């Protein structure tokens, strides 16, 4: 997934580790894994590569809305500038058409380009480094089977010293553990496979794992949830209260396949993209493996107050067409809900035209801070490719006061909690868009 | 004569509403009668038209009576919600002496000479002109028909016509006890001479006019049988979905259609100068295919156009531009305390509930069009130009309009549909998506107005100066409306004639055009909607500066003007003006005389500490002279206020990089039922000249609201839409 | 091939499953009383009943309907609440341009079916999703009360 803050790591690290030498740089050139002749691109290899490219969700970052797949151009807006994803189609001039397998593998495993210069870790090589060479080569074979797109890279707009790519070598020394994934013999095979799908390919942790003070992933808190791009990537550990431990296999499977788990979640924002581009393309085996792995991810607690409220009174008293009498009478949030929201979401939490619009049981409406709720209101939500009815427009044209009011109404009505969304918080999230 | 009726199956239609059908337009226009408008008596071409419609008795272009069945009334104007079918039918039926349950109405075919509105010299429904212009003609038309029916009966019975009376579609002769229905008399009536003069009813004898009548179109609109333009279905028709360059004036560079062609049902991909259309058997298939097109645009010359830039330019132009003077009189050099203000008005979309659409079939020898249009003859002209066919080969069937508000005074959608249909052999139903409708509207333009006053010791204005700045609609739409020097009276309508007693006046306009690729159009309430906001806002400012009550302040300036004064008094009395109100609740008054009517609206609002405006109550008083249908008057004021308040609270079209940002009702908001306050409408009876109704409520809405917001918060908002962020309790 | 139950009749239609019910009704079956207004469930012009509940047909993929009973405005007059609503609509003279009114009638009929005596608040909850550009809201509220009570309001 796109990770706007990830590059901020650079700041901290550059300041902290200004003393390291070029040892690490030399070391990576001696990585034995990056020394082989190019593999012939058989149709089977291309097919496998296509599957893996989806699993690794390459297109999420390497395509702009309305642009050509893999042609790059996605801006990553950072506090110290903007960097752009690049063209990874086989165009010889502007893409990776001249890259060898080794070049490609080295980029994935070590974050270094063909020309030897460092990539920024907005490109998740810290995860891809676990990918097997075979899989990496297959992805490359798939990319090389695509039509080349002439799309020159947009020039990054970074200020000094962040525009000094070589400095990433120091960061890598501290935070890049450039080792391939190895099966854990104590686990079942599908759990190992799930780990590989989640971490070597899907790089779930890039969003869902909190970061340490140096902005690197905090391995001790794998999948405990983190904030990213204004959204909250939820706790997806096996915790039954705060994670996905209480979800059934079917619910998890539905979520990966369709972006929707009835009574649990509907993917929005960056996760909707992840479902659209990646998880829905997983085959059943990998989907089940992923579920098996999530079952053994160490349970992590979440913030008190974000538990799913069981059967809130307000919801119990609602029908599809009406909220309980006198509840929130005259409330601004309720008024907005009546006009702009109820047509799809209806009052009993089930969703009107489509179950995707059901709000009962969702974490977004059980979070008193309404983080993802606010973001969904501001940005809308889109799973149209999966289900033509699963789509919500952006309500950013409504004022901060109105959005805060409707968010708090939704939290109150669908979880029985007191929403804490303020117009000021809405304004902050609006800026993060 | 032979009329060019193509061999095309008519869409099925309910009996209530029959289509006018096609006919030879040029035949009527060819005899030099282009400036002629509707008449109570036959006009050249009338008889042929009536014969084509199979009418037995057609005393004029408006009434058809057959051997059986209801009386058919041909509606010269089009129904778009303003109730005109009922009002025009009432006027005809009143003097014809039939009940509304005995008539059906049908859409008129497009012929200026037979169905043109005298005030506009064309078959145009707009500007709140219909009843004002037509009401006496329609009455006379009914009376002419009645007189001929009576004389037919008198002739048959051998009795004096003067002894015959009519009632509910029957002629009776009391002495002989004879009677005959209009149906029975139709044939004989057709042989009668058209009377030179006819007597009209004394208004005290009116059975329909002035009474709250049920609308003629309501039943079909409540059960779903009413046919709007978008509902037309003709055999072999395909639906067209259009994608137009988002940047105004941009053109199509290239389009790759491979993916679109793979979509199920797709029929054709049609290239247009500014976009692409895809046709398929249904809207969904066409839309899906169109969305799969890979289109490259040449964004053209307007990529730098933005609303922000426009307002800067308007500000600059209004300081330095050359003004055209509407009016300058009285002692303008009076010295005293001067008060000034700048008011700003946004670009607005019309957003009628029925997205624009048209069904068009272009054949080698003719072009047939089904559309709901406020300007059917204009649409015919446009189609003739595009197809190269003579106007008498353009057959247009007008339809019910799912909202007009000025949007359907334009024919751009018809032109687009013709351009699509020209390229295919089958009939095409083009339907705009809501997004297309809002992004490619011909919008109401933005204005920036500087207004100032010199006030006397008591604070009343003795010199009033107003300089408006913005673009002219008629410059494109009807250049003949402009004064020789280019002055456009729409720009100062309701700002250069005030009912208030102010001795010196200077009102002028500084033209500032929009980019050529962004044509601007009429929007409900036209000039008055723009001008009254400023005038009544500023009058309120003067009252406040004078430390006077806004109603009292206006009363003082209206003492010499009894008709407006009584309207103001009525509204003030009805709302209980002067009552003590809770904190952050306020009432705002606005008065004006748009479209020949006099209207006063008072809004009561509550503004939350965070600036959210809630309208609690609305009261309006209206004097429109003779009232046709009080039911409609009330509805038009209620709905007009809501239309105007919607604008004031929510509506602004903004351009960024030459493209409209808004797209649908989530970002171009409409007032909803739960935001609507109770609205009382009081009709002030008056025998004076008749006024228009369709736009009055809209024109008066925003200033009443803004003045109420000021009363509630002390914050004067001079820019629409009202920005709630400025109203938060500090 | 899908079979839909529309106004008590089984209709077989050859359409993709993701096609919204609105376009199946209007363009395939030919029931044009249900209107297209926005396509994103923001205006309510396309409201129909599915198993007695008001839904926005413009965003309802037809493949999800199964054997649900669909009622459109063309048949709502045959239901007691539909009839009451239509009568009240005429009595109060709600209609202006009329384009949104079939959707309004459908929303109001559903409201009355579930709640025979709606309060103003109930009306707000059920009717605020239906936009009327002509601004007939004042009379819509009045007509619903009248339909419920049987008495002029």
């Amino acid at each position: 997934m796109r990770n706007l803050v990830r590059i901020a790591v650079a700041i901290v690290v550059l300041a902290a580790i200004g003393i390291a030498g070029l040892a690490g740089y030399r070391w990576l050139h001696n990585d034995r894994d990056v020394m082989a002749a190019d593999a012939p691109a058989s149709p089977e290899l291309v097919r496998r590569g296509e599957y893996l490219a989806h699993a690794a969700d390459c297109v999420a970052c390497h395509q702009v809305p309305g642009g050509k797949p893999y042609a790059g151009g996605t801006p990553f807006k950072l506090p110290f500038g903007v960097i752009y994803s690049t063209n990874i189609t086989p165009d010889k001039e502007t893409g990776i058409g001249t890259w060898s397998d080794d070049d490609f593998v080295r980029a994935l495993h070590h974050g270094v380009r063909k020309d030897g210069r460092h990539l920024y870790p907005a490109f998740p090589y810290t995860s891809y480094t676990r990918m097997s060479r075979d899989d990496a080569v297959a992805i490359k074979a798939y990319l090389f089977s695509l039509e080349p797109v002439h799309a020159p890279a947009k020039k990054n707009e970074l200020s000094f010293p962040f525009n000094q790519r070589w400095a990433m070598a120091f960061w890598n020394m501290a935070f890049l553990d450039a080792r391939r994934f190895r099966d854990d013999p104590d686990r079942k095979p599908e759990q190992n496979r799930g780990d590989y799908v989640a971490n070597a390919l899907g790089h779930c942790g890039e969003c869902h794992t909190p970061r340490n003070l140096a902005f690197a992933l905090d391995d001790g808190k794998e999948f405990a949830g983190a904030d990213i791009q204004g959204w909250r990537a939820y706790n997806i550990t096996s915790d039954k209260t705060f994670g996905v431990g209480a979800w059934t296999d079917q619910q998890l499977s539905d979520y990966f396949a369709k972006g929707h788990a009835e009574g649990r979640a509907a993917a929005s924002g960056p996760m909707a993209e992840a479902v659209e581009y990646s998880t829905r393309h997983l085959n059943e085996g990998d989907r089940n493996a992923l579920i098996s792995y999530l079952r053994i991810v160490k349970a992590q607690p979440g913030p008190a107050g974000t538990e799913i409220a069981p059967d809130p009174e307000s919801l119990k008293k609602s029908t599809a067409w009406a909220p309980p009498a006198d509840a929130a009478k005259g409330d601004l949030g309720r008024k907005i809900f009546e006009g702009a929201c109820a047509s799809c979401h209806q009052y009993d939490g089930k969703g009107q035209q489509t179950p995707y619009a059901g709000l009962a049981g969702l974490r977004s409406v059980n979070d008193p801070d309404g983080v993802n709720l606010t973001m969904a209101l501001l940005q809308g939500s889109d799973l149209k490719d999966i289900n033509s009815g699963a789509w919500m427009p952006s309500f950013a044209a409504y004022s901060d006061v109105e959005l805060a009011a409707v968010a708090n109404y939704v939290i109150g009505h669908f979880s029985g909690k007191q929403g804490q969304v303020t117009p000021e918080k809405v304004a902050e999230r609006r800026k993060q868009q | 004569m032979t009329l060019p009726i193509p061999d095309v199956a008519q869409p099925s239609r309910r009996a209530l509403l029959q289509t006018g059908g096609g006919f030879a337009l040029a035949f009527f226009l060819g005899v030099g009668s282009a400036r002629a408008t509707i008449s109570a008596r036959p006009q050249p071409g009338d008889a042929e038209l009536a014969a084509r419609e199979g009418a037995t008795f057609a005393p004029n272009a408006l009434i058809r009576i057959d051997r059986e069945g209801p009386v058919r009334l041909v509606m010269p104007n089009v129904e778009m919600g303003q109730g005109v079918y009922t009002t025009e039918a009432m006027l005809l039926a009143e003097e014809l002496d039939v009940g509304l349950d005995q008539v059906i109405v049908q859409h008129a075919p497009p012929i200026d000479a037979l169905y043109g509105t005298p005030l506009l010299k064309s078959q145009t429904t707009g500007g709140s002109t219909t009843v004002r212009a037509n009401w006496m003609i329609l009455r006379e038309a009914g009376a002419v028909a009645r007189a001929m029916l009576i004389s037919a009966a008198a002739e048959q019975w051998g009795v004096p016509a003067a002894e015959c009376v009519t009632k509910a579609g029957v002629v009776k002769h009391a002495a002989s006890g004879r009677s005959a229905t209009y149906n029975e008399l139709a044939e004989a009536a057709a042989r009668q001479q058209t009377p030179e003069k006819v007597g009209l009813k004394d208004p005290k004898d009116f059975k329909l006019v002035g009474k709250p009548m049920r609308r003629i179109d309501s039943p079909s609109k409540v059960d779903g049988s009413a046919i709007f333009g978008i509902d037309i279905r003709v055999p072999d028709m395909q639906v067209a979905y259009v994608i137009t360059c988002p940047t105004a004036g941009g053109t199509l560079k290239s389009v790759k259609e491979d993916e679109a062609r793979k979509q199920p049902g797709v029929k054709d991909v049609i290239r247009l100068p500014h976009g692409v259309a895809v046709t398929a058997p249904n809207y969904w298939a066409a839309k899906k295919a169109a969305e799969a097109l890979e289109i490259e645009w040449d964004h053209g010359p307007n990529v730098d156009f933005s609303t922000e830039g426009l307002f800067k330019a308007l500000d600059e132009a209004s300081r330095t531009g050359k003004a055209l003077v509407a009016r300058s009189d009285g002692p303008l050099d009076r010295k005293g305390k001067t008060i000034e203000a700048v008011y700003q008005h946004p670009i607005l979309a019309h957003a009628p509930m029925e997205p624009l659409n048209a069904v068009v079939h272009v054949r080698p020898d003719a072009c047939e069009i089904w559309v709901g249009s406020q300007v059917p003859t204009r649409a015919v002209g446009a189609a003739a130009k595009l197809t190269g066919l003579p106007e008498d080969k353009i057959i247009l069937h007008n339809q019910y309009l799912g909202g007009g508000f000025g949007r359907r005074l334009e024919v751009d959608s018809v032109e687009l549909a013709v351009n699509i249909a020209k390229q295919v052999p089958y009939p095409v139903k083009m339907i705009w998506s809501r997004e297309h409708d809002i992004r490619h509207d011909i919008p109401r333009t933005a204005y920036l107005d500087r207004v100032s006053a010199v006030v006397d010791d008591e604070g009343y204005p003795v010199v009033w100066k107003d300089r408006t700045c913005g673009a002219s609609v008629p410059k494109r739409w009807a250049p003949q409306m402009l004064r020789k020097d280019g002055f456009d009276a729409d720009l100062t309508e309701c700002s250069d004639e005030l009912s208030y007693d102010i001795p010196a006046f200077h009102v002028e306009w500084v033209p500032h055009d929009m980019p050529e690729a962004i044509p601007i159009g009429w929007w409900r309430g036209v000039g008055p909607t723009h001008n009254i906001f400023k005038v009544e806002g500023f009058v309120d400012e003067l009252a406040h500066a004078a430390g006077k009550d806004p109603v009292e302040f206006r009363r003082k300036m209206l003492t010499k003007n009894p008709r407006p004064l009584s309207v103001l008094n009525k509204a003030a009395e009805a709302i209980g003006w002067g009552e003590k109100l809770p904190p952050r609740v306020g009432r705002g008054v606005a008065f004006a005389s748009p479209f020949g009517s006099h209207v006063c609206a008072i809004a009561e609002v509550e503004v939350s500490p965070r600036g959210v405006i809630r309208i609690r109550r609305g009261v309006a008083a209206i004097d429109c002279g003779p009232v046709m249908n009080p039911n409609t008057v009330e509805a038009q004021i209620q709905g007009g206020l809501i239309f105007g308040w919607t604008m004031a609270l929510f509506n602004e079209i903004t351009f960024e990089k030459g493209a409209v940002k808004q797209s649908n009702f989530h970002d171009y908001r409409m007032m909803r039922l739960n935001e609507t306050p109770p609205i009382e409408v009081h009709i002030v009876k008056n025998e004076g000249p008749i006024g228009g109704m369709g736009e009055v409520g809209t024109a008066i809405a925003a200033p009443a609201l803004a003045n109420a917001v000021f009363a509630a918060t002390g914050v004067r908002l001079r820019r629409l839409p009202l920005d709630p962020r400025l109203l938060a309790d500090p | 091939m899908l079979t839909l139950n529309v106004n008590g009749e089984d209709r077989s239609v050859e359409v993709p499953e993701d096609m919204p019910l609105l376009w199946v009704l209007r363009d395939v079956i030919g029931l044009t009383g249900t209107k297209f207004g926005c396509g994103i469930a923001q205006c309510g012009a396309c409201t129909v009943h599915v198993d007695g509940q008001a839904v926005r047909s413009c965003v309802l993929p037809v493949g999800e309907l199964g054997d649900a009973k669909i009622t459109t405005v063309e048949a709502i007059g045959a239901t007691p609440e539909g009839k009451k609503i239509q009568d009240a609509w005429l009595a109060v003279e709600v209609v202006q341009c009329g384009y949104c009114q079939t959707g309004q009638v459908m929303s109001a009929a559903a409201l009355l079916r579930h709640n025979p005596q709606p309060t103003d608040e109930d009306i707000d909850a059920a009717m605020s999703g239906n936009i009327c550009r002509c601004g007939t809201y004042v009379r819509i509220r009045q007509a619903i009360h009248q339909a419920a009570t049987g008495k002029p309001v």
Side-chain angles (χ1 to χ4, degrees), chain A residues 256-310:
Chain A
F256 294 134
K258 300 189 294 189
H260 179 243
E262 193 138 15
R264 294 288 187 186
S268 288
M271 193 59 209
E273 287 180 15
V275 171
E276 187 188 337
Y277 296 134
S278 182
T279 65
R280 70 166 163 146
H281 299 285
L282 292 176
N283 61 35
E284 204 183 339
D286 278 348
R287 208 158 61 223
N288 290 338
L290 191 51
I291 294 167
S292 303
Y293 176 65
L294 290 177
R295 298 291 184 214
I296 59 165
V297 172
K298 188 181 156 208
Q300 301 278 356
T306 60
E307 305 89 340
I308 306 295

Side-chain angles (χ1 to χ4, degrees), chain B residues 650-664:
Chain B
F650 303 127
N651 293 163
E652 175 166 21
I653 287 292
T654 49
F655 282 85
E656 271 177 21
K657 295 181 180 166
V660 171
K661 239 180 108 185
Q662 292 70 24
S663 62
N664 205 320

Side-chain angles (χ1 to χ4, degrees), chain B residues 268-329:
Chain B
D268 285 297
V269 176
I270 295 154
R271 285 161 176 75
L272 302 158
H274 298 281
V276 194
V278 175
T279 56
N282 61 70
Y283 178 88
W284 182 250
K287 177 179 194 270
K288 291 280 273 190
E291 285 170 351
L293 293 169
E294 286 179 54
I295 305 172
E296 265 194 278
W297 303 109
D298 177 344
H299 287 272
N302 294 312
V303 282
D304 294 327
F305 180 76
S306 73
T307 304
E308 210 189 333
L310 173 67
F311 273 107
K312 275 190 194 144
L314 285 171
D315 185 56
E316 176 65 20
S318 86
R319 289 171 203 277
T320 58
K322 187 180 174 305
L324 297 168
V325 177
R327 171 182 173 191
S328 190
D329 45 65

